[in-house]
């Protein structure tokens, strides 16, 4: 019989086919590991029930030895071996599987020790077991190493990120708990509770490391799935069959599993992963990548691509690829590299709870993520599938893919008798559920409607209140309208004070959190540090759920629990009151401590989480300041300001008038960056309405210039001109020199685009005079770049090149890399038509590099178009197609239209007539649907003429040809600027080798203002 204070080795086995080996194991353990005392059900004390004995023994165990035999791994109900392993896992007890029968597999995933082959019981196998037990369980070893390991683990956690870091923090907590228990024997219990300064919590949650993966006979699982009971997924046979059917073949690219919280979406995904892991499974798969949209990692293109590297069979190759993906490299080029590396591996990319990524209309809130996922699933050069589990389907994915996207609904709960089996599987033998009669189970099914989470809460009530009879519970649940609220109330009333506080803190946070975060929130309210052991106990009692080393409440539960936290309370002397707002503000402060210098979008998770909590806490002004801070650095530099739009919109009506004005300005700039012209215009006009009620002339002029720029870039030249004119008048009247120069530059560009180049140069001269006393080099750089463009249109290439180079030097002086990139591309364009491809290509590639570093799509699009033209003029059609294709995948109205036109030119020159026709058609369609065509804008008319010419020459359509001729004649009626006509001739020359010579000559003559 084990001694009362013995360190136990718990042996979990099946009585059907395991006793013989267990007898031998118990005998050998006494000599192999004398510091451990074997415990199995043979050691149960008389008069003690099995569940009670097992619980007591597990709590005193240093290790659980899981004896793998056909019966212990069989999927059956109930399987006590698997229940014991799951409980050990939740309590942080190391698990060592012993594979005593060949060719059998664990029915679940275990962290930590891999199975130890034990099929021959050879001396080598016994020696391996001895070494592992020494490493896992020796109290002498643990006593000597605990302090060092705690220090090393915390240091590693600070360097690690993602789930790897979570596990390290959890492991550190495990060592700290043991250390605390030893120290408390020699000193007062609360002596260590007061050292909880903010600095102690700083940067404990940094991220960015490779995603954790496990490999099972060649099948790779990337990222862990949240630990949720039940461990076995019941029923849903029809949905499982539909899911596996859709995954066979290569036709279906997107599958959306639609269901509400608690409907079993995650269980269905876990069941799919178990099926895929099986030897010779159908459908076959190489890897399973799991992403949880509610988790701490924000689902972004960068995160998906980095985790896909973990799907490579060669882990080192995957790490090299991940490290080689530059943080600021555009996702479309990263995607090319990752797809090429995967080399037709079958990978299922799963996004769970994806509805949090969607707005109410089913559109992706992060437009960049939506564009990335569409690009991913529309490609045909890989075998990746996207499986989405959500409360509603992602509309854009299903619209774009049509019949290649499928929906699997999970409507309603699990039916009987499967719901009864599910409920019984949650019973460890002490809850009275495992042996409940059919009538009781039917009643519980009717009350819960078979929803898995509600069934789990039933088991939770029995866990925390075992004295409450099952019939009494059923009777009580028949009364309330909201069964979930009644079950949670029954659980909360039986928790001790600290446990209730923990549950309420998790509800207030509304996101997965580790023990450090909960301890920070409850600093003044809980008497002890919150530990993983306490959180694991709540998991074991089905109160909360676990995701790696983090804990959370399901969304609907959290909403109910937040209602139990007082909205207001009296302020204790020297302390904050315990209210929902205070908890949220503390959570925000904790997240602020996790801020680090961001290098990729994923690094901004604490900033984004803090903003959300401050908005929820009605700390609107502070949230607004944080939004602006993140926008200014780094999102605007990355071209990703639109990520903040939903918060700006949420805040707008809550801010005072003074804060609303800059909020609208920021919001409009982000919308313009996304090509949402109508929304950007709406916000700026609303801002002008607010400013009309003030004496803020400065901001009125600035806003008119901003709105003028939005309209000008999208072809509404006349409306832009009017705004610039008013801004110039007000700026002149009130002496606003920067705003006056901005308005004059806007009017200059309007005059130039409508053929009045002399007037344009006059406005630029006036702006130059205004800026004579203004030290801002960025404004002067823009002035010189605009003058360079006008001179280029007039054919004064040498002066244009000189000015563009000078503008670039001023941009460097201002440390404005985006402006410097625009100057490089401007100089490249002039040199392309004046000197040829080679000097232009170098400059344009430098501009691409800057646009890549800043992840700025407007600059990238324009620079890629210049690169494509340089290759095309040099006769490198394939390289031109590659560069133009890159430009067409980005967002920018006129530049993107030009990219499709250049792609058509390059494809036509390469003999790819169908591709050319498609590209010209796309350019025209986009032009007609998205771009306002001012009849005085000769630059747009020249672009439109090129698109019509391309379609006429690729399809031999004479009507299109006549339309092209008329368009060019209209443009030449506006201006016969030499530079503009030279550009047209150089572009039309690309049709010479394959086009209709007669039609081409007629078009060329019209573009060059020749009569005949």
């Amino acid at each position: 019989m084990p001694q009362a204070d013995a360190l136990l080795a718990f042996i979990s086995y099946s009585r059907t086919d395991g006793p013989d080996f267990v007898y031998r194991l118990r005998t050998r353990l006494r000599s192999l590991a004398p510091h451990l005392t074997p415990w199995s059900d043979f050691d149960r004390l008389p008069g003690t029930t099995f569940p009670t004995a097992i619980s007591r023994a597990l709590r005193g165990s240093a290790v659980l030895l899981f004896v793998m035999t056909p019966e212990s791994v069989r999927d059956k109900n109930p399987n006590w071996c698997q229940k014991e392993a799951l409980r050990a896992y939740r309590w942080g007890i190391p698990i060592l599987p012993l594979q005593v029968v060949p060719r059998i597999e664990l029915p679940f995933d275990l962290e930590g020790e891999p199975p130890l082959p034990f099929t021959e019981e050879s001396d080598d196998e016994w020696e391996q077991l001895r070494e592992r037990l020494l490493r896992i369980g020796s109290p002498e070893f643990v006593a000597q190493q605990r302090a060092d390991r705690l220090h090393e683990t915390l240091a590693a956690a600070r360097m690690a990120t993602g789930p790897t870091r979570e596990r390290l923090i959890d492991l550190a907590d495990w060592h700290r708990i043991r250390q605390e228990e030893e120290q408390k024997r020699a000193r007062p219990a609360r002596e260590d509770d007061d050292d909880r300064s903010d600095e102690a919590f700083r940067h404990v949650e940094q991220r960015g490391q490779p995603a954790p993966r496990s490999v099972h006979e060649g099948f790779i699982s990337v990222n862990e799935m949240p630990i949720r009971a039940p461990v076995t997924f019941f029923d849903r046979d029809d949905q499982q069959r539909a899911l596996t059917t859709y995954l066979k073949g290569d036709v279906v690219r997107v599958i959306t599993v639609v269901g509400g919280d608690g409907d079993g979406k995650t269980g269905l995904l876990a069941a799919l992963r178990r099926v895929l892991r099986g030897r010779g499974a159908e459908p076959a798969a190489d890897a399973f990548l799991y992403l949880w949209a509610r988790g701490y990692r924000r689902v972004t293109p960068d995160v998906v691509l980095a985790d896909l590297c973990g799907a490579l069979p060669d882990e080192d190759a995957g790490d090299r690829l991940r490290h080689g993906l530059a943080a600021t490299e555009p996702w479309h080029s990263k995607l090319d590299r990752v797809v090429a590396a995967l080399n037709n591996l079958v990978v299922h990319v799963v996004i769970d709870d994806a509805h949090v990524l969607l707005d109410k209309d089913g559109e992706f809130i992060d437009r960049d993520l939506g564009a990335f996922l569409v690009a991913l699933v529309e490609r045909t050069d890989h075998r990746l599938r996207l499986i989405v589990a959500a409360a509603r389907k992602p509309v854009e994915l299903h619209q774009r893919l049509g019949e290649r996207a499928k929906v699997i609904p999970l409507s309603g709960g699990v039916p009987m008798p499967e719901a009864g089996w599910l409920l019984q599987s949650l019973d460890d033998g002490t809850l009275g559920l495992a042996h409940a009669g059919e009538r009781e189970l039917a009643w519980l099914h009717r009350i819960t409607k078979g929803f898995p989470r509600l069934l789990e809460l039933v088991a939770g009530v029995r866990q925390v209140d075992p004295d409450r009879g099952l019939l009494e519970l059923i009777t009580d649940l028949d009364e309330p309208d909201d069964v979930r609220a009644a079950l949670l109330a029954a659980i909360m009333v039986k928790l001790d004070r600290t446990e209730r506080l923990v549950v309420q803190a998790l509800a207030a946070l509304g996101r997965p959190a580790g023990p450090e975060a909960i301890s920070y929130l409850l600093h003044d309210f809980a008497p002890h540090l919150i530990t993983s052991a306490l959180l694991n106990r709540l998991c074991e009692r089905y109160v909360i759920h676990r995701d790696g080393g983090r804990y959370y409440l399901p969304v609907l539960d959290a909403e109910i629990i937040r209602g139990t936290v007082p909205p207001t309370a009296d302020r204790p002397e020297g302390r904050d009151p315990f209210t929902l707002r205070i908890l949220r503000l503390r959570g925000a402060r904790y997240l602020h401590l996790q801020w680090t210098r961001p290098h990729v979008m994923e690094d901004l998770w604490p900033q984004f989480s803090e903003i959300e909590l401050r908005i929820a806490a009605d700390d609107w002004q502070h949230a607004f300041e944080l939004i602006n801070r993140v926008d200014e650095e780094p999102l605007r530099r990355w071209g990703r300001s639109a990520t903040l739009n939903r918060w700006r919109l949420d805040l707008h009506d809550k801010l005072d008038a003074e804060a609303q004005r800059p909020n609208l300005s920021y919001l409009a700039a982000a919308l313009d960056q996304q090509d949402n012209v109508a929304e950007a215009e709406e916000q700026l006009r609303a801002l002008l309405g607010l400013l009309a009620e003030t004496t803020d002339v400065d901001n009125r002029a600035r806003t008119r210039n901003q709105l003028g720029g939005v309209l000008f870039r999208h072809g509404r030249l006349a409306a832009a001109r009017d705004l610039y004119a008013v801004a110039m008048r007000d700026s002149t009247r009130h002496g606003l020199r920067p705003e006056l120069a901005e308005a004059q530059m806007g009017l200059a560009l309007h005059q130039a685009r409508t053929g009045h180049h002399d007037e344009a140069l006059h406005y630029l001269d006036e702006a130059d005079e205004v800026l004579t006393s203004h030290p801002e080099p960025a404004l002067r750089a823009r002035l010189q770049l605009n003058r360079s463009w006008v001179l280029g249109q007039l054919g004064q290439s040498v002066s244009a090149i000189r000015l563009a180079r000078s503008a670039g030097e001023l941009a460097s002086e201002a440390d404005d890399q985006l402006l410097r990139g625009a100057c490089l591309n401007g100089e490249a364009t002039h040199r392309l038509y004046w000197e040829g491809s080679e000097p232009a290509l170098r400059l344009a590639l430098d501009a691409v590099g800057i646009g890549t570093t800043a992840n700025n799509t407007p600059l990238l699009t324009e620079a890629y178009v210049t690169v494509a033209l340089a290759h095309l003029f040099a006769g490198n059609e394939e390289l031109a197609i590659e560069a133009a294709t890159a430009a067409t995948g980005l967002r920018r109205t006129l530049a993107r239209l030009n990219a499709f036109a250049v792609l058509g030119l390059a494809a036509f020159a390469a003999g790819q007539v169908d591709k050319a026709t498609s590209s010209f058609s796309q350019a025209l369609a986009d032009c007609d649907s998205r771009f306002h065509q001012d009849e005085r804008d000769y630059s747009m008319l020249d672009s439109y003429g090129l698109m019509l010419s391309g379609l006429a020459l690729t399809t031999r359509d004479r009507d299109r040809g006549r339309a092209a001729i008329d368009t060019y004649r209209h443009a030449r009626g506006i201006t016969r600027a030499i530079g503009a006509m030279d550009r047209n001739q150089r572009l039309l020359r690309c049709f010479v080798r394959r086009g209709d010579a007669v039609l081409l000559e007629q078009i060329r003559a019209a573009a060059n203002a020749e009569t005949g």
Side-chain angles (χ1 to χ4, degrees):
M1 194 69 60
Q3 298 298 313
D5 58 351
L7 202 59
L8 304 181
F10 188 102
I11 303 173
S12 178
Y13 73 103
S14 169
R15 285 193 160 200
T16 304
D17 55 3
D20 290 344
F21 173 77
V22 171
Y23 282 122
R24 296 192 296 274
L25 176 63
R26 287 168 61 88
T27 302
R28 294 294 295 268
L29 277 177
R30 292 185 176 89
S31 58
L32 285 174
H35 62 285
L36 294 174
T37 298
W39 191 97
S40 66
D41 55 0
F42 306 151
D43 300 299
R44 178 173 61 91
L45 292 171
T48 308
T49 65
F50 271 102
T52 300
I54 287 171
S55 294
R56 289 175 179 173
L58 265 177
R59 290 186 184 279
S61 295
V63 62
L64 181 141
L65 302 176
F66 187 87
V67 179
M68 293 173 57
T69 59
E71 283 299 311
S72 70
V73 303
R74 190 161 68 88
D75 191 6
K76 61 181 180 179
N77 293 294
N79 190 318
W80 298 111
C81 301
Q82 295 176 33
K83 290 179 184 295
E84 292 162 358
L86 181 62
R87 185 176 295 184
Y89 173 82
R90 286 173 172 160
W91 289 350
I93 299 169
I95 301 172
L96 177 52
L98 304 178
Q99 187 173 354
V100 300
V101 176
R103 293 185 298 280
I104 61 173
E105 304 169 359
L106 286 171
F108 44 77
D109 296 331
L110 289 176
E111 296 179 6
E113 298 289 334
L116 178 63
F118 226 87
T119 56
E120 299 178 2
E121 299 185 40
S122 65
D123 290 342
D124 287 343
E125 290 173 343
W126 287 111
E127 178 60 23
Q128 288 182 48
L129 176 60
R130 186 186 72 83
E131 291 176 357
R132 290 208 191 181
L133 290 176
L134 282 173
R135 185 167 68 247
I136 291 173
S138 167
E140 295 82 10
F141 178 82
V142 172
Q144 292 173 4
Q145 299 297 319
R146 185 167 290 135
D148 290 340
R149 289 189 66 184
L150 175 58
H151 175 77
E152 292 166 1
T153 307
L154 284 172
R158 294 188 187 100
M159 298 297 294
T161 56
T164 301
R165 188 175 178 287
E166 289 179 0
R167 291 199 304 272
L168 289 170
I169 289 175
D170 208 28
L171 179 60
D173 205 26
W174 187 84
H175 291 304
R176 183 165 46 236
I177 293 166
R178 294 332 186 257
Q179 195 173 58
E180 289 170 359
E181 288 171 351
E182 291 177 356
Q183 292 170 350
K184 285 177 182 177
R185 295 189 187 105
R187 59 178 174 80
R190 293 191 58 189
E191 191 175 306
D192 62 337
D193 285 350
D194 295 328
D195 185 19
R196 288 188 267 179
S197 66
D198 281 2
E199 194 60 34
F201 291 92
R202 187 176 298 279
H203 298 167
V204 299
E205 302 199 31
Q206 297 174 26
R207 328 227 170 272
Q209 290 296 98
R213 70 181 215 158
S214 60
V215 183
H216 181 81
E217 295 191 354
F219 178 80
I220 298 170
S221 296
V222 182
N223 293 326
E224 301 160 5
M225 298 186 71
I227 302 298
R228 303 180 189 177
V231 293
T232 304
F233 188 70
F234 295 92
D235 192 53
R236 304 297 193 196
D237 288 340
D238 292 342
Q239 289 87 350
Q240 281 189 276
R241 193 177 302 110
L243 183 55
T244 54
T245 300
Y246 289 147
L247 290 174
K248 294 176 182 177
D250 294 320
V251 176
V252 177
R253 307 307 295 267
V254 175
I255 302 170
T256 300
V257 179
V258 176
D261 288 314
D263 279 359
K265 299 186 300 296
T266 303
L268 183 64
L269 298 174
L272 172 65
R273 187 172 68 166
R274 283 197 297 272
V275 169
L276 297 175
R277 286 182 55 180
R279 185 191 299 271
E282 276 292 326
D286 298 296
F288 184 96
L289 165 57
Y290 179 83
L291 297 160
W292 187 31
R294 291 193 194 276
Y296 66 91
R297 298 179 77 213
R298 186 181 178 86
V299 179
T300 66
D302 288 341
V303 166
V304 178
L305 290 166
D307 286 4
L308 278 172
C309 297
L312 292 177
D314 185 338
E315 189 169 6
D316 292 337
D319 286 343
R320 288 193 299 271
L321 176 60
R322 182 179 57 81
H323 287 299
L325 298 176
T328 52
E329 181 182 1
W331 60 252
H332 64 270
S333 57
K334 292 184 187 180
L335 181 58
D336 290 339
R337 295 168 58 193
V338 171
V339 166
L342 289 172
N343 193 26
N344 274 334
L345 290 174
V346 178
V347 182
H348 300 319
V349 180
V350 175
I351 304 179
D352 197 2
D353 280 340
H355 47 274
V356 302
L357 307 174
L358 306 173
D359 63 20
K360 59 183 176 57
D361 298 320
E363 302 285 351
F364 280 96
I365 297 168
D366 181 347
R367 303 290 180 86
D368 206 37
L369 175 63
F372 166 77
L373 293 175
V374 167
L376 175 68
V377 298
E378 283 190 332
R379 293 178 65 137
T380 58
D381 57 345
H382 62 71
R383 301 185 69 190
L384 276 65
R385 309 292 184 78
L386 179 62
I387 303 172
V388 176
R392 56 190 174 277
K393 70 180 183 181
V395 172
E396 187 176 8
L397 287 173
H398 284 263
Q399 286 179 342
R400 293 288 290 267
L401 269 75
E403 288 300 310
R404 293 180 296 157
K406 301 294 184 183
V407 174
I408 299 176
L410 289 183
S411 55
V414 178
M416 289 292 287
E418 289 83 1
W421 300 342
L422 189 156
L423 190 58
Q424 289 175 322
S425 75
L426 303 173
D427 191 350
D428 62 1
T430 65
L431 307 183
L433 299 173
H435 305 292
E438 291 185 6
R439 186 180 180 189
E440 288 90 343
L441 293 176
W443 280 342
L444 287 171
H445 179 263
R446 179 179 57 79
I447 293 166
T448 63
K449 297 181 172 59
F451 287 110
R453 175 55 178 165
L454 297 184
L455 293 170
E456 189 179 41
L457 288 175
V458 169
V461 172
R462 297 288 296 145
Q463 282 274 6
V464 301
D465 191 4
D467 296 331
R468 191 178 196 174
L470 188 56
L471 288 177
E472 180 187 351
L473 174 60
I474 292 170
T475 302
D476 292 343
L477 290 177
D478 257 344
E479 296 294 329
D481 295 329
D482 189 339
V483 173
R484 183 186 298 267
L487 288 167
L488 287 169
I491 289 173
M492 291 290 285
V493 75
K494 288 296 181 179
L495 299 179
D496 66 34
R497 179 176 179 274
T498 300
E499 291 171 334
R500 285 197 303 274
L501 290 173
V502 166
V503 177
Q504 290 172 320
L506 283 173
L509 275 174
R511 66 205 68 243
E516 293 86 358
I518 303 302
S519 292
Y520 189 91
L521 263 68
L522 300 178
H523 183 285
D524 291 335
F525 312 119
H528 300 283
L529 283 169
I530 306 304
T531 65
S532 294
L534 186 154
L535 291 160
N536 286 335
R537 284 199 302 274
L538 290 171
C539 285
E540 176 199 353
R541 294 151 86 180
Y542 308 121
V543 182
I544 64 176
H545 284 165
R546 175 177 158 185
D547 176 24
R550 293 170 179 269
Y551 304 84
Y552 66 97
L553 273 170
V555 175
L556 297 179
D557 295 11
E559 290 178 4
I560 293 169
I561 296 298
R562 282 194 288 269
T564 69
V565 184
T568 60
D570 294 333
R571 188 181 189 90
E573 184 177 352
R575 291 193 310 169
D576 287 328
F578 183 78
T579 66
L580 182 59
R581 185 172 188 268
I582 291 299
L583 288 177
R584 283 170 163 164
L585 289 175
R586 287 192 171 205
R589 287 199 294 272
Y590 173 80
L591 289 161
H592 196 81
L593 294 172
Q594 312 313 313
W595 282 39
T596 58
R597 181 176 176 80
H599 300 287
V600 294
M601 284 291 286
E602 186 184 356
D603 295 341
L604 289 169
W605 73 270
Q607 286 91 324
F608 292 155
S609 298
E610 181 182 355
I611 289 167
E612 287 183 336
L613 274 180
R614 291 199 180 278
I615 292 174
D618 298 343
D619 188 8
W620 302 317
Q621 185 63 35
H622 198 163
F624 174 62
E625 292 167 1
L626 292 175
I627 289 170
N628 292 343
R629 178 177 168 186
V630 174
D631 197 353
E632 290 167 4
E633 176 58 37
L635 290 182
R636 189 174 301 175
R637 176 165 54 85
W638 292 349
R640 305 288 284 278
S641 295
T643 306
L644 302 168
N645 284 6
R646 62 190 174 103
W647 293 315
R648 290 197 181 281
L649 289 169
D650 287 344
L651 278 176
H652 182 66
D653 294 335
K654 301 174 178 67
L655 298 172
D656 59 35
E658 187 174 348
Q660 280 184 357
R661 295 194 287 269
N663 187 54
L664 285 173
S665 180
Y666 278 115
L667 180 60
L671 291 167
D672 183 36
Q673 195 175 70
Q674 278 196 313
D675 288 342
N676 292 333
V677 188
E679 293 181 46
E681 179 183 359
E682 179 184 349
Q683 300 301 331
L684 288 171
R685 292 199 183 279
L687 176 54
L688 282 174
L690 291 174
L691 290 168
E693 302 170 3
T694 72
T695 58
D696 192 349
V697 182
D698 191 334
N699 272 321
R700 278 206 301 268
R702 186 177 298 116
T703 302
R704 286 194 173 97
N705 282 330
Q706 184 181 357
L707 179 55
V710 170
L711 300 180
F712 183 87
R713 284 189 293 276
H714 294 84
R716 296 170 62 183
L717 271 58
R721 175 201 60 205
D722 294 342
L723 286 161
Y724 288 136
V726 176
M728 186 176 74
R729 182 199 65 197
D730 290 348
S731 299
T732 302
R733 184 179 300 166
H734 295 277
L736 307 174
R737 301 181 73 82
E739 286 70 33
L740 175 58
E742 290 277 6
Q744 289 168 331
M745 284 191 282
L747 286 169
L749 290 177
H750 170 269
Q751 294 289 353
R753 285 272 289 272
T754 54
H756 304 294
H757 297 96
D758 290 341
E759 290 85 345
L761 291 172
H762 174 72
Y763 275 120
L764 292 172
D765 288 340
E766 289 187 339
D768 195 5
E769 186 176 344
V770 168
L771 292 176
T772 299
S773 59
H774 198 281
E776 177 54 56
L779 265 177
R780 299 193 63 81
R782 289 177 49 221
L783 173 65
Q784 293 193 9
L785 184 60
N786 290 336
R787 186 186 294 275
S788 170
W789 183 82
V790 175
L791 293 178
Q793 295 298 296
L794 294 172
Q796 301 178 30
S797 299
V798 175
S799 296
I801 290 169
R802 176 179 54 79
L803 278 170
R805 189 186 307 117
S806 175
E809 292 169 358
L810 285 169
S812 296
E813 181 184 337
D815 196 24
D816 191 329
Q817 289 303 303
L818 287 177
L819 181 55
R820 178 171 171 269
C823 295
L824 286 170
N825 191 58
E827 183 181 352
T829 303
H830 297 313
R831 290 187 181 277
L832 179 63
Y833 293 100
W834 178 251
E835 297 176 345
S837 295
E838 186 175 345
L841 185 59
R842 289 197 302 272
L843 292 165
L845 287 173
D846 287 344
V848 168
I850 292 173
T852 299
T853 301
N855 196 23
N856 184 271
T857 54
L859 176 58
L860 271 173
T861 308
E862 292 163 6
Y864 270 131
V865 168
T866 308
V867 170
L869 285 172
H871 284 308
L872 178 60
F873 293 171
N876 300 319
E877 289 91 355
E878 291 302 322
L879 291 176
I881 290 172
E882 183 178 319
T885 300
T888 61
L890 301 168
R891 293 190 299 269
R892 191 66 173 172
T893 48
L894 183 56
R896 186 169 181 265
L897 299 179
N898 289 335
F900 274 113
V902 172
L903 178 57
L905 280 176
F908 188 79
Q912 301 176 26
V913 178
D914 289 344
K915 187 181 187 69
T917 302
S918 173
S919 299
F920 288 125
S921 298
Q922 183 66 55
L924 276 174
D926 278 6
C927 186
D928 291 337
S929 64
R930 299 179 58 207
F931 205 84
H932 180 85
Q933 297 175 44
D934 192 303
E935 62 180 13
R936 297 292 302 168
D937 183 358
Y938 78 87
S939 179
M940 187 64 225
L941 290 168
D942 281 339
S943 294
Y944 201 70
L946 179 64
M947 301 169 200
L948 287 168
S949 301
L951 270 183
L953 293 166
T954 55
T955 63
R956 300 185 181 276
D957 185 337
R958 288 281 175 174
D959 290 337
R960 295 277 194 184
R962 282 190 290 273
I965 291 169
D966 291 343
T967 301
Y968 276 125
R969 283 176 177 166
H970 188 181
R972 296 293 72 78
I974 297 170
T975 183
R976 297 189 179 187
I978 294 173
M981 293 192 297
D982 285 349
R983 181 178 186 274
N984 288 333
Q985 296 306 308
R986 187 65 188 86
L987 293 171
L988 290 170
R989 203 178 302 160
C990 297
F991 291 116
V992 168
R993 282 192 298 168
R994 303 179 190 278
D996 180 325
V998 175
L999 178 58
L1000 179 58
E1001 179 57 28
Q1002 293 171 345
I1003 293 172
R1004 189 199 61 77
N1008 208 36
E1010 297 175 7
T1011 59

